[in-house]
Amino acid sequence: MTKYIGKSVKRVEDKRFITGQGKYTDDIKMPGMVYAYILRSPYAHATVNSINIDAAKSAEGVVAIYTGADIPEAIAGVPCGWQVNFKNGDIMKEPPHPLLVRKKVRHVGDGVAIIIADTRANAKDASELVDVDYDLHDAVTDPKAAAQPGAPLVHADAPNNIAFDWQLGNPKEEVAAALASAAHVTELDFVNQRMIPNAMEPRSAIGHYDTAYDKYTLYTSTQNPHLTRLLMCAFVLGLPEHKVRVVGPDVGGGFGSKIFHYIEEALVVWCSKQIELPIKWTCDRSEAFLTDAHGRDHVTNAKMGFDADGKIVALQANTFANMGAYLSTFAPAVPTYLHGTLLQGLYTTPKINVDVTATFTHTNAVDAYRGAGRPEATFLLERLIDLAALEMEMDPTELRFKNFIPAFDGVEQEGYVTQVALQYDSGNYAPVLTRALEMVGYEAFREEQKNQKGDKLLGIGFSTYVEACGIAPSAVVGALGARAGLFESAQVRVQPTGKVSVYTGSHSHGQGHETTFAQVVADRMGIPLEDVEIIHGDSDSVAFGMGTYGSRSLAVGGSAIVKSIDKVLEKGAKIAAHLLEASTDDLDYAEGKWTVKGTDKSVGFGDVSLTAYVPHNYPEGLEPGLDFSSFYDPANFTYPFGAHVAIVEIDKETGFTKLKRFIAVDDVGNVINPMIVDGQIHGGLAQGIGQAMLEGAIYDETGQLINGSYMDYCMPRADDFPSFEVDRTVTPCPHNPLGVKGAGEAGCIGSTPAVVNAVIDALWKGGHKVKDVKMPMTPERVWTAMQG
Amino acid sequence: MANKISVTVNGKQYTGEVESRTLLSDYLREDLSLTGTHIGCDTSSCGACTIHIDGKAVKSCTMLAVQADGCEVTTVEGLATNGNLHPMQESFKEEHGLQCGFCTPGMMMTATDFLKTNPNPSEQEIREALEGNFCRCTGYHNIVRSIQLAAKKMSEAV
Amino acid sequence: MIPNSFDYKKATSVDEAISLLGDDVQILGGGHSLIPTLKLRLNAPGTLVDISKIESLKVIRDNENSITIGGGATHASIAADAALSEHAPMMTQAAKEIGDIQVRNFGTIGGSMAHADPAADWPAVLLACDANVVIQGKGGKREVDIDQFFKGFYETALADGEIITAVRIPKMASNRHSVYVKFKQPASRFAIVGCAVGIEMEGGVVKSARIGMTGVGESAYRAMNVEKALVGQALTAESIEAAVKNVTEGAEVMSDHYASQKYRTHLAHVYVKRALKMLM
């Protein structure tokens, strides 16, 4: 029986946030603190001829100014954490990403100088006195255009701007042959546009070199403090890791954009050593638009072939993926191992080939953004299948049911082996779509749609998805190019009084770990939730961590906690057996006490804890203490899945599209806290729908980001959405102790194509047989689609 | 240029000097260490910095500190009274109206002002009232629920 | 985001404010147009004169034939004013459409007018209301017909050293009808097209019409050819269709990533039509 697991326990972390006592990086002040402003390139591609800092240096309050020339050659820049090889086996092109540019700027926002002063205002004022002489060059921003001969080069040693090319799946010729003999082929060219993550807390970093201890501290808005420390120490600054502490305090949302190790983090740490003062840098939103790693940006051609019966026979996907000007930490993994591997979807497609060309452009770096590769894969599959249904005049749901992989639980039935390198853990796909259709009232909707008259067009769009999360088995990702392991660590420290401190390497920045993890611990240990404290985000207190991304916290971090709990209870049983003068085999553990089977003799968890630390009457040879660390490396990814349905209404005269309903049925495995899981789904939906309807970065041909503010980049607002209708099915993960799969990205992965499909459906039913409306589907784009 | 100002913040009077160009949001955060007021943008769009001036919601990033001279300021830190959470705070917790917590103070400050003029709003009215507050975590779903619950609690309390 | 340095002077009366104006001096009203430009350092005045504390500028006065709205009246106070709601309901309606709660609480009508953003709501509405602008400077007071006030892209008839002290809105007779409709730019929520219509009916036909357009051109303007075409017509779907042939005549129609010239022109026609149909 569980007391907490499966219950919507209210979040323990909320109190500090609702009272204004959250502690985000920018909230931290230290004696003697000085402030940094980073002068950035206003041009996308230029040679820096000279930088004159004389006037700025003598400006009021200025403490120090550094340019690229001041940074030792040995500090080459921030590294890339994932290596993908060219098809021919060559290692990807990996030009350095310097902390401050030395010769060339490669995107608007590239760092040119850091100005440190006693106040933010003085640093900013002084920055206006720095005189940089640039020679301007042509720029390229589109990932496909970048690969064409004669395109301006981003890096001299990356010909045709190609970072790498890559393919996966069945041989191309086999796929081509299957497509050639298909009864119907649906082909689509589309752009999965560039997204700007826009976590509400702008990035911030504080570097503090402590002369007394010869120790560095970095406070930073990060999703993974330990990984940042490892990258910064070993690959950037060459610092001894044990002399560096990285803290990710309260972090105001990440969505991927705070996974990566950014130049500003290394800069404030390096500079703080030079001037022996704590330095704070906090970016403005305008800077965030230019420098937070962006997401998506794929230009794709895809073909899906069907037999006469509607069974998918083959899929060919060709994508140009924009890397931006530099390879960000996980950038190469996104269009490849997080995208190509997901193109099986939840269908039995027998032949699949995916071909990816990753290119450099004069734009900000692109990396993982909520879903990272999986939304792009889902978009590709789900746009094709809905379009195919329209073209073949079939019902889009029937077409899906026909192609679903049959149910498998990963225990009785083997996991499903895909054509693209994965083995799904467990899946039961039809019920999520069936449930979604019930919630929609599908037949009634189609009736309503058929009878519609007047100045509006109604449409319905579907998306069924499977994703890979719980990232990830280290050996697997290592073989795929990851330069890090992707396990997680946890320490369960029982205090002498029986209170429990849990140290996890997962970082919470909105996900509610302090509650969900505590529910797991309290239930497993049979103690009150109030007796559990979850500690995260500080490399000095948490042994190690790989951080939070890829919907991995509970599946991997939670499993590590379970391992430590098991060890605690195993040792506790030995102590209890000693106290009860029984054998451990004769003991039961429940509700916080060990009982000798069949008797009322028992000893409580608190007594055992105290005995462990006051070991007077104690098992011989057993170490004192009750404190265990574990590392958990998963056996496989986890594979959540779901079905999303959008209903839209288009104003024929203006193209304005209203999202009338959104239904999401997701299966994320077992659920610890339904309230929190629903919240994760809601947030993901908003981001996915935002991509479909509202958001998207626009670079002009000179490389200027022309919508780099909230006045132009459309952040979704409350009145852009209806209330979401969510439900779930539960198919446990067979390979982790909690049976959980992960819920952080599902909403964002499934929702985008459902909305686009709904608009396309509305347009077709209104007599406008267009294949695509570019995202974001602004009113003008939808209106234009109706003019043909 | 330094200006002498005197403001009452959360019931406590503060007197000090501020530069003309100091924004009220920076004054609250830096001079008074009231860091519950957050800064999420530079175009007066996101509303994370929303506070009350003389009882009315305002984006404190769009007001000079010197303009607050003589005003009554309430920030999120002043929402609870005598250690009791404001119904809006309780409701955000009960309905899971927050995740990362960054937009939350501004959301609650806007919502409390909104409920003064519209104590019994429809869902659509709540959504429209949040036009000047961005949240990236919740999809607004549970924020709307929180404000509905707060409205109910506050009208029952009257 | 920190503005350049400037000096700050608080005025307690209009006369004092005017005496403080001069070279390199700008007026700070509600600040909701000005402060964002200061933060982005697109604008760096040497001195700001704060008129937001001048009580007389905040007054909304109900006169016999008109309502006088002080230049310092906030959008929220305009939205809440009973006399306006009764005698100039389009003002109430538009005030509720501007910005968001926070902006409406502190942004002022005078500030918005002086800023003259080509996509702001007030200009279209004031044009359709046939408002008069009361301006005060060192040389004294003058009144400017709203038709002469908005001169171009962020440009008005306001001279250096002058303050908008009030806007006078004629009360609507019972035979007058008005409406403001707006197609919003999704991000900023400013108008891509805002259309304000005021018509006077007599004997079942339009006696006179004023149509203010915002968001379309470089400055708000009146769609005069539509106004003319409506006069003498009963308001029917057909007469409206016939009248709105060329809503953007004379306007330099803007283009951006949310609305090309072609689409904006189309929307302008759709929105004038919709506004008129609402008055049928």
Side-chain angles (χ1 to χ4, degrees), chain B residues 1 19-21 23 42 44 50 53 56-59 61-62 64 66-67 69 110 113-114 129 131-133, chain C residues 1 3-8 10 28-29 31-32 35-36 39 41 50 52-53 99-102 105-106 189:
Chain B
M1 175 183 165
E19 252 196 288
S20 304
R21 61 169 159 173
L23 301 169
D42 36 36
S44 310
T50 303
I53 295 274
K56 288 182 189 159
V58 65
K59 293 174 181 174
C61 76
T62 313
L64 303 175
V66 62
Q67 289 182 284
D69 182 32
T110 299
D113 184 24
F114 168 63
E131 187 167 355
N133 291 81
Chain C
M1 275 288 139
N4 292 95
S5 282
F6 53 80
D7 287 339
Y8 169 89
K10 179 159 80 179
L28 173 64
H32 278 62
I35 292 176
K39 284 161 67 178
R41 299 198 170 193
D50 184 359
S52 68
K53 311 287 168 172
D100 48 55
I101 289 178
Q102 300 97 307
N105 276 342
F106 285 81
R189 300 278 174 105

Side-chain angles (χ1 to χ4, degrees), chain A residues 128-153:
Chain A
E128 294 186 343
L129 302 173
V130 176
D131 185 20
V132 188
D133 183 42
Y134 294 102
D135 259 355
L136 306 192
H137 311 302
D138 287 344
V140 63
T141 61
D142 177 85
K144 194 171 171 185
Q148 307 312 310
L153 276 190

Side-chain angles (χ1 to χ4, degrees), chain A residues 403-481:
Chain A
N403 284 285
F404 281 152
I405 296 164
F408 56 101
D409 63 10
V411 183
E412 297 292 315
Q413 304 94 13
E414 285 266 300
Y416 183 83
V417 178
T418 73
Q419 304 299 316
V420 275
L422 298 177
Q423 182 169 18
Y424 295 166
D425 58 350
S426 59
N428 188 8
Y429 304 135
V432 286
L433 183 53
T434 304
R435 175 70 188 124
L437 291 175
E438 276 169 24
M439 289 165 72
V440 171
Y442 187 43
E443 283 173 25
F445 173 82
R446 285 295 190 195
E447 252 337 275
E448 184 189 349
Q449 187 185 33
K450 214 180 288 168
N451 299 326
Q452 66 178 335
K453 291 189 196 81
D455 50 10
K456 299 285 198 312
L457 290 177
L458 271 178
I460 189 165
F462 297 89
S463 163
T464 46
Y465 71 90
V466 62
E467 58 141 331
C469 61
I471 291 173
S474 296
V476 175
V477 293
L480 302 180

Side-chain angles (χ1 to χ4, degrees), chain A residues 459-522:
Chain A
I460 189 165
F462 297 89
S463 163
T464 46
Y465 71 90
V466 62
E467 58 141 331
C469 61
I471 291 173
S474 296
V476 175
V477 293
L480 302 180
R483 289 167 170 165
L486 287 173
F487 54 85
E488 196 47 274
S489 91
Q491 182 181 8
V492 173
R493 174 179 296 168
V494 181
Q495 310 289 359
T497 52
K499 310 292 183 194
V500 177
S501 306
V502 179
Y503 301 81
T504 171
S506 298
H507 183 276
S508 184
H509 34 279
Q511 296 87 347
H513 295 167
E514 291 166 41
T515 306
T516 304
F517 287 8
Q519 287 176 252
V520 170
V521 174

Side-chain angles (χ1 to χ4, degrees), chain C residues 21 23 43 51 90 94 117 139 152 158 165 191 219 231 257 264 271:
Chain C
L21 295 178
D23 281 351
N43 178 15
I51 61 168
M90 181 163 46
D117 188 305
L158 209 57
T165 55
S219 165
V231 173
H257 62 272
R264 201 178 234 103
Y271 272 74

